[in-house]
Amino acid sequence: MKTVPFTKEEIEEAAKTYPTPFYVYDEAGIRKNAQAVKEAFSWNPGFREYFAVKATPNPFLINILREYGCGTDCSSMTELMLSNAMDIPGEEIMFSSNDTPAEDFAYAAKIGATINLDDFTHISFLEETLGYIPKTISFRYNPGGFYSLSNGIMDNPGDSKYGLTKEQLMRGYKILKKKGVERFGLHAFLVSNTTGNDYYPTLAGTLFELAVEIKQETGVELSFINLSGGVGIPYKPEDHPADIKVVGEGVRKVYEKILVPAGLDNVAIYTEMGRFMMGPYGYLVTKAIHEKHIYKEYIGVDACAVNLMRPAMYGAYHHITVLGKEKKRKDHEYDIVGSLCENNDKFAVDRMLPKIDMGDYLAIHDAGAHGFAMGYNYNGKLKCAELLMKEDHSFEMIRRAETPKDYFATFDGFDIYKKLTKE
């Protein structure tokens, strides 16, 4: 059963100051989870979680994770700039990008971020860009083919644009060693949103065995192995979450079985979780403003796919709670829709919910990662505010809602906003 950490009355009070729609993030939940991750991998002295900034690029939230030793995983110039502006040390910033512009590499090197190369040709591209190769470099690995866990085939890395082949890795490490690189890393992201406990241990086994091969063939001893992301969350009430304590213990057992006997017992373990770190602790709160009775029953809300596009883009399930009606029977079937001029602008289709009245507040669950971050401005829609519900249940605005002035700001030389304000 999914529950929300706030009450209808608390949301009603917050809405007096911050009009819906808005995001609410649960500070207590974020902290409890971050501590659990830290403890799960405490057996590895060099462990660090590099939070995937792309999931939730908000410095207020990232600063909470920083208190638990987290760094940041960046995929673009602006994410690097955000991390640098937060005074995060370079060694605590991982730059994992693909099809990377030269200026992004240059900025990453300037702030001392660890560069994770996605392609063999990027070795020469990076050297041409910088005039040198940094002392620390990582490679992203793609094993090709299909990747299987105990419950079957999970994904098809061979159809992915990311990473180097094993043969390219071996050549790459040899080249980097000759060029004076001192710290080497290995990275892989093969499966997304796994809620079992076996993905990280299985991936770790693959990468640990590869690390031994790398040492034997190239003489390179890896300083760190980055398991990236992929640990998911249960979007549906009947789904079970991954147990991060069990996951961490599974990685430890594989570490001691493979790396320790090979003399690689100083390898640091890194992760780059976004969804697991923040996903369950963010909610999109929206108000029912229209109802429509035609061939189906529709509830129109004041949010739309601009605020949360996963349902429209992927058909993704997000649980919905009608605040104040948590104990009411779910005996009405609705499509919950937004106002976008697209028929896929639906948060739920044929969803059984309690009877919804106009003015009811709906909380859309598990929107804390890849929610606000994936927003856009189609139809001239504006992005909403983000609020942090603190541990004492007070609310703080951590990002204001966009205004028309923001929307028109990039039309240099054609000041629409100034004209509109005169009318």
Side-chain angles (χ1 to χ4, degrees), residues 284 286-291 296-305 308 311-312 318-322 332-339 342-356 358 360-364:
L284 175 58
T286 182
K287 182 190 289 187
I289 58 174
H290 288 291
E291 54 186 332
K296 301 180 74 172
E297 293 295 305
Y298 294 94
I299 296 295
V301 296
D302 58 5
C304 65
L308 177 63
H318 281 263
H319 196 64
I320 295 176
T321 293
V322 183
H332 285 63
E333 185 175 86
Y334 297 115
D335 281 15
I336 308 298
V337 303
S339 60
E342 294 289 343
N343 195 45
N344 66 350
D345 182 18
K346 300 175 180 179
F347 294 112
V349 175
D350 300 331
R351 186 75 59 87
M352 297 304 298
L353 292 165
K355 182 181 183 301
I356 297 176
M358 296 304 93
D360 279 348
Y361 290 99
L362 282 63
I364 303 176

Side-chain angles (χ1 to χ4, degrees), residues 79-93:
E79 290 180 0
L80 288 167
M81 292 172 69
L82 175 62
S83 298
N84 189 50
M86 294 175 64
D87 296 322
I88 299 176
E91 64 270 18
E92 297 178 19
I93 302 173

Side-chain angles (χ1 to χ4, degrees), residues 255-305:
Y255 188 100
E256 293 185 353
K257 178 181 178 181
I258 299 173
L259 291 184
V260 172
L264 295 170
D265 53 340
N266 290 321
V267 175
I269 300 300
Y270 296 161
T271 58
E272 291 174 353
M273 295 182 284
R275 194 190 316 258
F276 185 82
M277 299 301 294
M278 203 68 70
Y281 313 108
Y283 305 80
L284 175 58
V285 176
T286 182
K287 182 190 289 187
I289 58 174
H290 288 291
E291 54 186 332
K292 187 171 187 175
H293 317 284
I294 49 173
Y295 308 106
K296 301 180 74 172
E297 293 295 305
Y298 294 94
I299 296 295
V301 296
D302 58 5
C304 65

Side-chain angles (χ1 to χ4, degrees), residues 4 39 45 50 54 128 140 144 159 181 187 196 199 360 375 399:
V4 293
E39 291 176 359
Y50 288 82
K54 60 180 172 286
E128 290 169 6
R140 182 168 181 168
D159 197 39
V181 172
H187 171 287
Y199 170 58
D360 279 348
R399 190 196 300 263

Side-chain angles (χ1 to χ4, degrees), residues 3 70 73 84 188 223 271 411:
T3 60
C70 297
D73 164 51
N84 189 50
S223 298
T271 58
F411 291 113

